[in-house]
Amino acid sequence: MTTTGEDHAAARGGPWWWARWRSAALDVGLALASALECAFEGVRFARDAGIPVAAGVVFGVLAGSALLVRRQWPIAVVLVSIAITPAQMGYLMGIVGLYTLAASELPRRIIGSLAGMSLVGMLIVMFVRVRQDMARGTWDLGDWFVPFAAITTAIGMTAPPLLLGLYVGARRRLMESLRERADSLERELMLLAERAEERAEWARNEERTRIAREMHDVVAHRVSLMVVHAAALQAVARKDPEKAVKNAVLVGDMGRQALTELREMLGVLRSGDGAGARRGEPSVPLVAVGVAAAVAASRVVEEGEGPCLSELEELIGQSAAAGMVVDLSVEGDVRSYAAEIEQTAYRVVQEALTNVHKHAAGAKTHVRLAHRGSEIAMQVENEPPPEVGSASARLPSGGNGLVGMKERVAALGGVFVSGPTDAGGFRVSAVIPAVVAAV
């Protein structure tokens, strides 16, 4: 596991400008070493300059201690090292200062300028020092050795720390960039996970709504007809036994049809998760819930188990058998549509007839179906119900029928309108864009 940028920032706990105590201890040690070096070299400088030795030592200690602030002010450290170069002291401070400067975030032109100044200063000082040593007879070499020794020493004291600092700084910036990218990627992954969970929750809600709507359409119509036939059965049981038997048979058939349709729907719902749960397989990831919901929602249509417009006459016949006077009229050329369009059109007519059974029992109803060039239209309109006093089944209503019809039609890009008529009845109209089924 790598430390992210936020964790790295939180780990900063050193004193003052240091990020860590270890860095502070290192800088203190380097400052002490530089101070001792400059103090030792300050003795010779004091003798050559003709000043008290104590003054030279104090000057060297103060100058060498500048390494203590190398991380905070690297430019100042390099300038101090350049300034004391003519005194032939501060070699350690110059090397460490150049390294720190090159590894910092300062612009390259500043780093290059200060490095050049340090190189020139070291070159001049070494040229003078080697020339003086040769004049004193310390070294008995040719004149070529003076520039050679000066250039070699100046480059050796300047180039290695500069190059090493540039490498360390580039590597540090690379690591910071990678750390920031890791933080950004982690945030993006968290955001994607949250969005995936939101989409999955939305898919679950949509699937619950679809299941509730489908079960309402399947059950409400069958059960409504069963209740109507049961009321009629109760009314004619003693007067007309044959008609009572016929109504009882119809009630049984409709109950069996409702149970069959419910079993088919429950089978679709169970087929996606029951087998895996029984085998003890791991649960489906949350992000796949939307896909599973979509598959479950479309499986009934894909397998051809949903109703279609060819069954419309049978649907109207069931309502007519329950005592409703239904008039069906079809306009245009009859043709096949996509399964979801035919199912939606069938459900709209079915729910509209169910509402007539619930709220206007005995009212004459007109069902109109129009096949147009680019759309299919349907309308179910009932006349005012008969006078109060006729037998009524008193069917309960949950208020979800019209909402479900509007959702179905809107999902296919259609238009749904419903409301009372001027004559006292009720009208339900829907227009759905037509997608003709492939032959």
Side-chain angles (χ1 to χ4, degrees), residues 13-224:
W16 295 335
W17 55 82
W18 285 287
R20 294 172 296 182
W21 283 97
R22 184 175 61 183
S23 301
L26 176 63
D27 288 354
V28 170
L30 289 175
L32 290 175
S34 178
L36 291 176
E37 177 201 356
C38 292
F40 177 77
E41 294 170 345
V43 175
R44 184 179 59 181
F45 170 70
R47 290 174 181 174
D48 294 341
I51 61 176
V53 176
V57 172
V58 171
F59 174 74
V61 170
L62 293 177
S65 300
L67 271 183
L68 195 64
V69 296
R70 69 183 185 93
R71 298 178 189 267
Q72 188 72 3
W73 298 292
I75 296 179
V77 174
V78 174
L79 289 176
V80 170
S81 68
I82 294 174
I84 64 175
T85 299
Q88 299 182 8
M89 65 173 61
Y91 297 108
L92 176 62
M93 182 170 58
I95 294 174
V96 177
L98 281 177
Y99 164 80
T100 306
L101 179 71
S104 65
E105 301 293 335
L106 293 173
R108 293 295 178 88
R109 62 178 182 274
I110 296 178
I111 298 175
S113 300
L114 292 176
M117 293 171 59
S118 178
L119 176 65
V120 172
M122 183 65 66
L123 179 65
I124 295 174
V125 170
M126 293 305 300
F127 185 87
V128 173
R129 182 174 179 178
V130 173
R131 189 178 183 86
Q132 289 177 350
D133 291 340
M134 290 188 66
R136 294 170 184 170
T138 305
W139 297 334
D140 188 11
L141 298 173
D143 294 337
W144 61 270
F145 183 75
V146 175
F148 173 77
I151 294 174
T152 303
T153 305
I155 294 177
M157 296 286 288
T158 305
L162 181 67
L163 295 177
L164 180 60
L166 291 175
Y167 166 76
V168 172
R171 182 176 179 274
R172 182 183 302 154
R173 287 188 290 272
L174 176 62
M175 295 301 295
E176 290 292 336
S177 175
L178 293 177
R179 189 178 292 114
E180 290 178 359
R181 290 178 61 183
D183 292 341
S184 176
L185 180 60
E186 183 178 358
R187 288 191 294 268
E188 289 179 3
L189 289 177
M190 292 177 62
L191 182 60
L192 289 176
E194 292 176 359
R195 290 181 178 177
E197 186 173 356
E198 291 176 359
R199 288 195 297 267
E201 182 65 25
W202 175 84
R204 285 194 292 265
N205 292 335
E206 287 293 316
E207 181 63 6
R208 293 190 192 100
T209 302
R210 188 199 68 83
I211 293 171
R213 183 171 59 242
E214 193 72 20
M215 295 186 69
H216 176 273
D217 293 340
V218 170
V219 176
H221 182 72
R222 303 291 186 192
V223 175
S224 298

